Each structure stands twice: as structure tokens, then as C-alpha cells.
Amino acid sequence: MSKENISLPITPNQAAWRMLVSFLATLLLSGILIFGSAGRLNWTLGWIFVTAWIVPKLVFLILLRWLDPDLLVERATRHKNTQRYDRIILPIYFVFAFGTFIVAGLDGGRFRWSDDVSIAWVIAAYIIYLLGNSLAGWAINSNAFFSAESRIQTDRGQKVASSGPYRFIRHPAYSAALILWITTGPMLESWWAIIPGFLAGLMMIVRTVYEDRMLIAELPGYAGYAQQVRYRLLPGIW
């Protein structure tokens, strides 16, 4: 089935607005958690972080609307065949993710438990964070079926993605998520926030296990691809 012949449930413009509202709502909640736990608004590093957090998402949205509106619609639509494990893993993931903001705000913005986070560490964390975003962008650009949900996209004629970073690891976007959440704490001068950040990343590892099993069992060609590309998240390790 060609993607051109598929009747889309919403238009690309509707999908873009839906994702924009979602991004802004998440940004508002994240800002409330970060600055609320910090107990102040005059936290420069907090403002730098929320800017660095939202800008890549807005760029992603603009590029997706321009380059691949079908994928934009896919990511903005909720589907009935989303895997059951996703409905369990993702809520836990968001608890840890938002918990990272709270701990970072309490630590870096208020109580300064991690008083030894130097500016060099903060800069290094931002560089790694940008590299993680670049890896995620590369993965999205290399996979026309980069859904926000774990499901087999039979309605879109899903095929195995094997170019770009998929030549080296099977789930590069989850590798990027690990990078982003582990570096969030140091970006806000908090070592303690690495703990919930790691737990958020751990949920993506769990999701990788289940999604990989689903793809091997249900997506034609993926089992052969998995034999060629052995590693799921970390080249040479796992």
C-alpha cells in the first residue's frame, strides 16, 4: 500500500497545531516544575535550559511539516493498535522525566546540594545534549515510520529502516533519549537529578526490549535486519 493512497485521519496542518499545543503544554508544565521547585524565576540557567529544551522540538516540528507531512500526521495521531506495554511504560517514564526537573530545580536552583558542578561540567553537558538531539534528528530523518507509539504501521506500509544511524544500532532514538535525560541534571547544576534522569532512560531501555521483540515477530524483514545489526542501543555493548 503506497502512502499516497492512504486516507489520513487529520490534515498535516491539524497535526502540526496538535503537536505545537502539546509541546507548549509540556513546556509550561516543565517550567512550572523547574522554577517552582527552584522557588524563584530569576534563575538564568533554568531559562537557558528551557530554551535549549523547546527550540529543537520547534525546529523538528517545522522540518517535519515541510519534509514529511505523512509522518507528522502519524506522530500526532493516537492509534488503537498501540502495544499494551506502551500504556504502562510511558506513564512511568513521564513520572521519572518530570521528577528529573523537580530534583534539578530543588538542587541546582534552590538548595545547592551539588555545589561542585563546575561551569565546565555544565558546558560539557550542553554539548552532549546537543549531540543527543542531533542523533535523534538523524534517526527521524532516516526513518519514514518514526512513530511516537510502539505499533506496526500496516496502514502505512511500514518497512524496516536500515540507513543512517540504523546501520549501527537498531534503536538510535532511544539511545538519544538516554543521553538527553542523563545530561539534564548537570545542565541544571545537579548531580542528584541524574538519578531520576537515569530511571527515565531505563524505561526507554525497557521499551526497547519489548519493541524489539514486537518488530522481530511482526515486521517483515526485521529479524534479518536484527541479525545484521546486532546492537540495540550501544554499539559493541548491547
Side-chain angles (χ1 to χ4, degrees):
M1 180 186 297
S2 67
K3 291 194 290 182
E4 289 78 12
N5 294 329
I6 293 172
S7 177
L8 300 178
I10 58 176
T11 68
N13 284 340
Q14 289 173 327
W17 279 110
R18 184 178 293 184
M19 287 188 66
L20 178 61
V21 170
S22 176
F23 286 162
L24 295 179
T26 305
L27 176 66
L28 177 61
L29 176 57
S30 301
I32 290 172
L33 295 176
I34 291 171
F35 293 104
S37 57
R40 58 193 175 102
L41 289 174
N42 61 334
W43 186 21
T44 302
L45 201 57
W47 289 108
I48 293 174
F49 175 82
V50 296
T51 301
W53 187 85
I54 192 61
V55 167
K57 289 177 171 53
L58 294 177
V59 171
F60 160 72
L61 176 58
I62 293 169
L63 290 178
L64 204 56
R65 175 62 186 90
W66 179 32
L67 298 174
D68 197 342
D70 281 1
L71 181 56
L72 177 64
V73 169
E74 163 65 26
R75 292 187 63 82
T77 304
R78 295 296 167 258
H79 303 86
K80 292 183 179 179
N81 69 332
T82 299
Q83 293 293 308
R84 185 176 180 181
Y85 63 77
D86 236 21
R87 306 179 194 278
I88 299 172
I89 292 172
L90 290 183
I92 300 173
Y93 162 77
F94 282 115
V95 168
F96 289 134
F98 289 127
T100 304
F101 295 150
I102 294 173
V103 174
L106 289 171
D107 184 0
R110 182 180 294 195
F111 297 115
R112 308 294 297 174
W113 300 319
S114 304
D115 58 0
D116 58 342
V117 184
S118 67
I119 187 63
W121 279 112
V122 174
I123 293 173
Y126 269 91
I127 292 173
I128 296 172
Y129 178 83
L130 291 175
L131 291 174
N133 271 297
S134 298
L135 175 59
W138 191 18
I140 294 167
N141 187 58
S142 303
N143 185 358
F145 303 95
F146 193 92
S147 178
E149 301 172 322
S150 287
R151 75 184 193 97
I152 299 298
Q153 300 169 50
T154 53
D155 52 321
R156 302 183 67 234
Q158 184 176 357
K159 297 179 176 61
V160 176
S162 57
S163 62
Y166 293 92
R167 292 174 295 170
F168 312 107
I169 50 178
R170 305 205 296 261
H171 301 273
Y174 293 161
S175 298
L178 278 171
I179 294 171
L180 299 179
W181 284 114
I182 291 175
T183 56
T184 293
M187 289 169 70
L188 290 166
E189 295 185 306
S190 173
W191 294 126
W192 287 102
I194 291 178
I195 297 174
F198 171 78
L199 292 174
L202 181 62
M203 297 316 298
M204 290 295 98
I205 295 176
V206 174
R207 194 188 196 199
T208 298
V209 172
Y210 282 98
E211 186 170 302
D212 211 54
R213 290 176 183 172
M214 174 195 71
L215 292 170
I216 288 174
E218 300 182 30
L219 181 62
Y222 190 87
Y225 163 72
Q227 291 179 344
Q228 295 178 345
V229 180
R230 295 176 52 198
Y231 301 106
R232 299 172 181 86
L233 295 178
L234 301 173
I237 299 176
W238 186 72

